[in-house]
Amino acid sequence: MAQPDNKKFFENLSGAGKAIGVLTSGGDAQGMNAAVRAVVRMGIYVGAKVYFVHEGYQGMVDGGDNIKEASWESVSSMLQVGGTVIGSARCKEFRAREGRLKAAYNLVQRGITNLCVIGGDGSLTGANLFREEWSSLLEDLLQQGMSEAVQKYSALHIVGMVGSIDNDFCGTDMTIGTDSALHRIIEVVDAIMTTAQSHQRTFVLEVMGRHCGYLALVSALACGADWVFIPEMPPEDGWEEQMCQKLSECRSRGSRLNIILVAEGAIDRHGKPITSSTVKDLVVRCLGFDTRVTILGHVQRGGTPSAFDRILASRMGVEAVLALLETTANTPACVVSLCGNQAVRLPLMECVQMTQEVQKAMDEGKFEEAVRLRGRSFENNLNTYKLLAHRKPECELPKSSFNVAVLNVGAPAAGMNAAVRAAVRVGISEGHTMFAVSDGFEGFYKGQIKEIKWGDVGGWTGQGGSLLGTKRTLPAKHIDKIAEQMRANNINALLVIGGFEAYLGLLDLLAARGEHDALCVPMVMVPATVSNNIPGSDLSIGADTALNAITDVSVAGGETCDRIKQSASGTKRRVFIIETMGGYCGYLASVGGLAAGADAAYIYEEPFDIRDLQANVEHLTEKMKTSIQRGLVLRNENSNDNYTTDFIYQLYSEEGRGVFDCRKNVLGHMQQGGAPSPFDRNFGTKIAAKAMQWISKKLKESYRQGRVFANTEDSCCLLGMRRRALVFQPVVQLKDQTDFVHRIPKEQWWLKLRPLMKILAKYKTSYDVSDSGQLEHVVRNRPKEN
């Protein structure tokens, strides 16, 4: 943590006298509008002028009305709109120096020397070339008589954000648009699975990804596909026979469907394309299965952006403006990236160069090198998919006499089933016998424990809730019975997937080790709760699905934020008061507020009084007197005992009389329900797989003289996402970081995002930017040692 006196606040960074141009270029991607909105509002907030450059580089070359000054209101209704409102176009002219000279002239005329470019690697490479040529372009303009302008605008500053559904840019874990594209794919796959099951069909789905297999790979992970073809890792020769054998084995085990995913750029080892129709013909010819092809095409680019993309784009847009304010003539063009859970700045050309190296490695047939260059996230996805999709024959499995039990504890969270599936399959691959415990610790002491096999968890990734059953019961009162069940079933390790009760339960089991040897085994917890209130982890399985429920999915007849906004626009001015879940944790209200463009979000962690409520009402009333048609206020369920959702609704209704009317909505358990989002499926799968690998390692370390005995602090851990990495932390060490009364961590990273929501809603606020500003370098993923 930065000490208070080292903190750096963005208020000291002024944009006065600066002009920023923002453009979207290349293929459109959901979330681009959220990025544009964040750049415009943050730019105006710091006192800079911000200009829309319509139609990408083409608009910059053509000038005129294509370059228009943006106002605060001009981005009011952009957040939930897909595609790019300011347009994008391919531009041949900009590739020639003559075109770039026209563009320079158009920018200089308006005093624009800061450019925010949202696009793919081609768009960003073009921006960098433009920057490098800027001095010589100005010299040409000088000869044309633009002397004063040339002296004043001697340097061009570039900051890039990657907008691409393919996630094909090295240096960032996720690009803007990727998560939304995964939503479209998974919606289609989930729908197709029901019809495929009805008719015992095989479906071959072709998804986008001419040069990058990320969408196909992560979709395969998220839906448990039987086979996937991606350009970075062509199948070994003889794959046709292997695939058909696998498909027929699945059917013989009772499965009624097969799903095969093909990236549009998939090839074999000899560079020959593998198309969806080739795969279909092969399955029909060799197996005689009823097989259909679905090509998703531009559906993947369409629709509203997911909550993840809105938050990512908003964070990146704000970070891009900060980068432009801090840049000097010597600062290289940078790109704002996501690493784990942190926004970082990287030199643009380092990222572009590495992205080009991937293609070069693929062209030369160095496929393992290509996967490594794609980065750790891509490599982990691929390794996890291989581990879960392809069952080794019994004779090839390592021999292990260990029994591992898996249970869900606490409230249900979407993604729990994906985590259980991953744990079971990785455990079996490591040679263990896997046991499933029904109904959490309650089922444990009652003896609801049975072996669970590879095929038992087929099709689990897309299922909401908890198929094992989950309860909030804590183990403390039943320790003797649980220890007895551990002995009776010879359980050598525990994997607990759940929320705050899972954390408390692990502390109970750890405390009882002195009395019960049976509890001296490796234990690990994976956080799964919509509230995202677990100490030791920035993210929990289920929280992303809950955010999407808040922002853009209508479940069980409840209107959610996007529906609400739409119902308000075009009618009289209206403010919606929405209550979110979370106990005392304000994560859903705050981060959901950022994703939905809320005007205020009331939470327990940031106390508020009647003066704050009055200021918010006055602020919203002023906004409503202009052209704004709707307002949105979120309130976390336990934010304040007296200022209830009803109270706030009545206050806003009374004070807004004559200016706006009010509606309220309590979202309730719909935030826990529904199918898990692609992010939660993927996160649950990867984190549970890693937890099982840790268990295997600990079992080997603690196996002594024919039995497992693990009684150290580090044999009872929580696996959590901390900033940039998944980290194992002994639960006993997390006690000091926990507010047990309110069931929240004492320090919560997302509180740093609250000022962003306020800034984007036009409130004056303080914003700590101590984490920002350091230009880092691209980390090359080194080959792992065997």
Side-chain angles (χ1 to χ4, degrees):
M1 281 293 294
Q3 296 304 313
D5 53 350
N6 292 339
K7 282 193 174 176
K8 183 172 72 172
F9 290 94
F10 92 112
E11 293 90 307
N12 307 327
L13 300 169
S14 170
K18 294 193 175 183
I20 300 170
V22 58
L23 69 141
T24 52
S25 176
D28 64 310
Q30 307 98 316
M32 279 182 163
N33 291 322
V36 170
R37 170 181 177 268
V39 170
V40 168
R41 292 200 164 172
M42 188 64 166
I44 292 172
Y45 189 91
V46 297
K49 282 187 171 185
V50 187
Y51 290 86
F52 292 133
V53 181
H54 290 273
E55 312 307 335
Y57 288 119
Q58 189 66 54
M60 204 193 292
V61 171
D62 294 344
D65 284 345
N66 288 305
I67 306 175
K68 280 184 187 161
E69 190 173 347
S71 68
W72 192 274
E73 282 73 31
S74 61
V75 292
S76 284
S77 54
M78 282 172 73
L79 188 61
Q80 69 272 23
V81 179
T84 165
V85 169
I86 59 173
S88 179
R90 310 275 178 207
C91 179
K92 278 187 182 173
E93 279 180 86
F94 191 77
R95 292 180 188 169
R97 185 181 167 85
E98 192 58 40
R100 293 193 289 276
L101 185 64
K102 284 183 190 171
Y105 173 79
N106 289 326
L107 294 188
V108 166
Q109 265 197 323
R110 294 163 179 82
I112 300 170
T113 55
N114 297 280
L115 270 189
C116 232
V117 181
I118 307 160
D121 62 337
S123 306
L124 298 179
T125 308
N128 191 63
L129 173 63
F130 191 36
R131 176 183 162 276
E132 286 173 350
E133 278 187 352
W134 186 254
S135 300
S136 66
L137 292 170
L138 289 190
E139 281 172 25
D140 289 4
L141 293 177
L142 188 60
Q143 289 167 6
Q144 294 175 17
M146 289 185 77
S147 55
E148 185 198 339
V150 168
Q151 287 158 6
K152 206 171 165 187
Y153 308 122
S154 58
L156 177 69
H157 305 298
I158 302 276
V159 173
M161 285 178 270
V162 192
S164 161
I165 66 164
D166 291 336
N167 203 27
D168 57 352
F169 193 82
C170 293
T172 185
D173 288 352
M174 285 290 262
T175 58
I176 296 167
T178 304
D179 187 70
S180 301
L182 287 171
H183 271 260
R184 298 296 93 78
I185 295 168
I186 292 305
E187 282 162 15
V188 171
V189 174
D190 285 353
I192 274 175
M193 282 175 118
T194 54
T195 181
Q197 204 143 21
S198 304
H199 296 278
Q200 295 195 48
R201 279 188 181 136
T202 296
F203 267 89
V204 183
L205 279 93
E206 185 181 299
V207 301
M208 281 183 166
R210 198 168 303 131
H211 305 295
C212 179
Y214 185 89
L215 288 179
L217 176 59
V218 175
S219 302
L221 253 185
C223 71
D226 298 293
W227 203 272
V228 64
F229 295 96
I230 59 171
E232 292 88 345
M233 189 50 75
E236 299 291 341
D237 288 345
W239 62 268
E240 296 91 341
E241 194 179 323
Q242 278 181 307
M243 185 186 77
C244 290
Q245 189 181 340
K246 169 140 197 269
L247 297 182
S248 70
E249 277 173 15
C250 285
R251 289 292 176 95
S252 65
R253 285 200 298 269
S255 172
R256 291 178 59 86
L257 78 158
N258 302 111
I259 299 286
I260 301 165
L261 279 154
V262 183
E264 61 184 347
I267 50 170
D268 66 15
R269 290 267 151 183
H270 311 286
K272 187 182 165 198
I274 296 175
T275 65
S276 44
S277 54
T278 311
V279 175
K280 177 206 163 180
D281 294 344
L282 175 72
V283 174
V284 171
R285 188 173 70 249
C286 297
L287 298 172
F289 290 172
D290 184 359
T291 307
R292 304 293 161 96
V293 171
T294 299
I295 298 172
L296 268 68
H298 284 76
V299 165
Q300 294 155 89
R301 288 194 188 281
T304 59
S306 65
F308 183 96
D309 272 329
R310 299 179 196 200
I311 296 157
L312 175 68
S314 299
R315 285 175 73 180
M316 283 185 167
V318 167
E319 185 70 24
V321 173
L322 293 177
L324 286 171
L325 294 181
E326 293 179 335
T327 193
T328 65
N330 302 324
T331 314
C334 81
V335 63
V336 180
S337 298
L338 182 77
C339 183
N341 194 31
Q342 259 193 308
V344 295
R345 299 178 197 170
L346 298 169
L348 192 151
M349 288 319 290
E350 278 187 26
C351 298
V352 168
Q353 194 179 346
M354 199 150 150
T355 305
Q356 289 168 350
E357 279 181 38
V358 177
Q359 193 55 50
K360 187 168 175 264
M362 283 159 63
D363 292 342
E364 292 172 1
K366 298 176 182 171
F367 297 110
E368 283 179 18
E369 173 80 355
V371 168
R372 192 169 60 77
L373 288 167
R374 277 268 180 246
R376 189 147 288 147
S377 172
F378 189 93
E379 193 172 24
N380 286 345
N381 281 320
L382 184 58
N383 291 338
T384 309
Y385 175 76
K386 286 179 183 172
L387 208 56
L388 299 176
H390 302 295
R391 185 182 182 181
K392 288 179 182 169
E394 294 288 333
C395 59
E396 287 181 31
L397 289 175
K399 292 287 175 274
S400 149
S401 54
F402 298 128
N403 295 340
V404 181
V406 184
L407 62 157
N408 292 157
V409 175
M416 275 182 162
N417 297 320
V420 172
R421 170 184 176 268
V424 168
R425 291 197 169 178
V426 171
I428 291 168
S429 298
E430 306 258 320
H432 312 317
T433 304
M434 298 300 296
F435 285 85
V437 181
S438 301
D439 297 335
F441 289 119
E442 189 174 309
F444 211 146
Y445 80 77
K446 289 179 177 173
Q448 294 169 303
I449 305 164
K450 63 177 187 196
E451 188 179 344
I452 186 165
K453 293 191 156 48
W454 185 282
D456 296 338
V457 291
W460 276 34
T461 48
Q463 302 284 325
S466 163
L467 292 169
L468 288 185
T470 181
K471 294 251 173 102
R472 294 177 183 267
T473 313
L474 292 173
K477 293 178 184 171
H478 313 285
I479 288 287
D480 295 349
K481 289 181 181 174
I482 287 174
E484 181 52 45
Q485 290 296 339
M486 296 274 287
R487 270 191 296 274
N489 292 281
N490 191 23
I491 302 296
N492 308 117
L494 276 187
L495 171 59
V496 184
I497 300 162
F500 207 83
E501 288 86 1
Y503 169 58
L504 295 174
L506 233 53
L507 287 170
D508 287 349
L509 297 179
L510 184 64
R513 277 180 170 179
E515 297 164 42
H516 298 283
D517 271 4
L519 300 176
C520 296
V521 298
M523 300 178 188
V524 64
M525 173 193 165
V526 167
T529 164
V530 300
S531 304
N532 199 29
N533 63 332
I534 307 299
S537 190
D538 291 354
L539 299 172
S540 297
I541 299 164
D544 183 72
T545 305
L547 286 174
N548 279 294
I550 291 169
T551 52
D552 69 17
V553 186
S554 189
V555 182
E559 282 182 309
T560 50
C561 296
D562 279 359
R563 300 283 174 106
I564 280 162
K565 285 181 188 175
Q566 285 159 11
S567 77
S569 60
T571 63
K572 56 192 171 194
R573 295 185 175 91
R574 187 166 282 172
V575 173
F576 289 87
I577 316 292
I578 309 281
E579 183 187 297
T580 66
M581 286 178 98
Y584 285 96
C585 180
Y587 176 82
L588 289 179
S590 297
V591 182
L594 182 60
D599 296 282
Y602 300 115
I603 61 169
Y604 164 76
E605 292 91 341
E606 205 172 272
F608 57 97
D609 58 22
I610 195 68
R611 287 180 294 277
D612 298 306
L613 290 168
Q614 183 183 355
N616 293 152
V617 171
E618 286 171 1
H619 182 87
L620 202 47
T621 306
E622 281 308 303
K623 272 176 71 172
M624 286 289 184
K625 283 176 182 171
T626 64
S627 59
I628 306 289
Q629 291 287 339
R630 60 96 201 155
L632 184 62
V633 175
L634 299 180
R635 179 188 172 274
N636 174 243
E637 58 185 354
N638 288 352
S639 55
N640 189 292
D641 289 343
N642 297 312
Y643 300 135
T644 61
T645 303
D646 279 338
F647 177 92
I648 290 172
Y649 164 67
Q650 286 163 1
L651 175 74
Y652 274 79
S653 296
E654 180 60 35
E655 295 297 317
R657 192 169 289 178
V659 181
F660 59 81
D661 69 353
C662 273
R663 294 284 183 274
K664 72 167 178 168
N665 198 316
V666 177
L667 296 182
H669 286 79
M670 61 164 284
Q671 293 155 93
Q672 288 177 333
S677 69
F679 182 91
D680 278 332
R681 297 182 194 199
N682 192 10
F683 184 55
T685 297
K686 283 202 286 193
I687 199 169
K690 194 174 176 79
M692 274 308 305
Q693 288 166 329
W694 177 89
I695 282 176
S696 294
K697 181 168 162 274
K698 287 287 172 196
L699 283 170
K700 285 170 192 160
E701 286 172 7
S702 54
Y703 186 68
R704 301 277 182 279
Q705 295 158 348
R707 60 166 293 198
V708 171
F709 189 79
N711 197 20
T712 53
E713 273 189 7
D714 70 347
S715 64
C716 183
C717 281
L718 178 139
L719 173 56
M721 166 66 82
R722 273 279 167 101
R723 290 165 79 88
R724 301 189 184 192
L726 289 171
V727 184
F728 289 94
Q729 303 141 99
V731 289
V732 73
Q733 291 177 16
L734 295 172
K735 286 169 84 170
D736 292 342
Q737 300 172 29
T738 309
D739 172 351
F740 285 98
V741 175
H742 298 101
R743 298 160 59 94
I744 54 174
K746 287 178 182 172
E747 286 186 5
Q748 308 198 72
W749 69 272
W750 51 265
L751 284 168
K752 285 187 174 179
L753 298 182
R754 278 187 63 82
L756 299 194
M757 188 196 80
K758 291 178 182 174
I759 288 164
L760 298 175
K762 217 174 185 175
Y763 284 93
K764 284 288 173 198
T765 188
S766 190
Y767 181 38
D768 176 13
V769 293
S770 310
D771 281 352
S772 301
Q774 297 304 311
L775 192 65
E776 302 182 16
H777 291 282
V778 177
V779 178
R780 285 180 178 269
N781 196 6
R782 291 183 179 83
K784 284 186 182 170
E785 291 176 21
N786 289 329

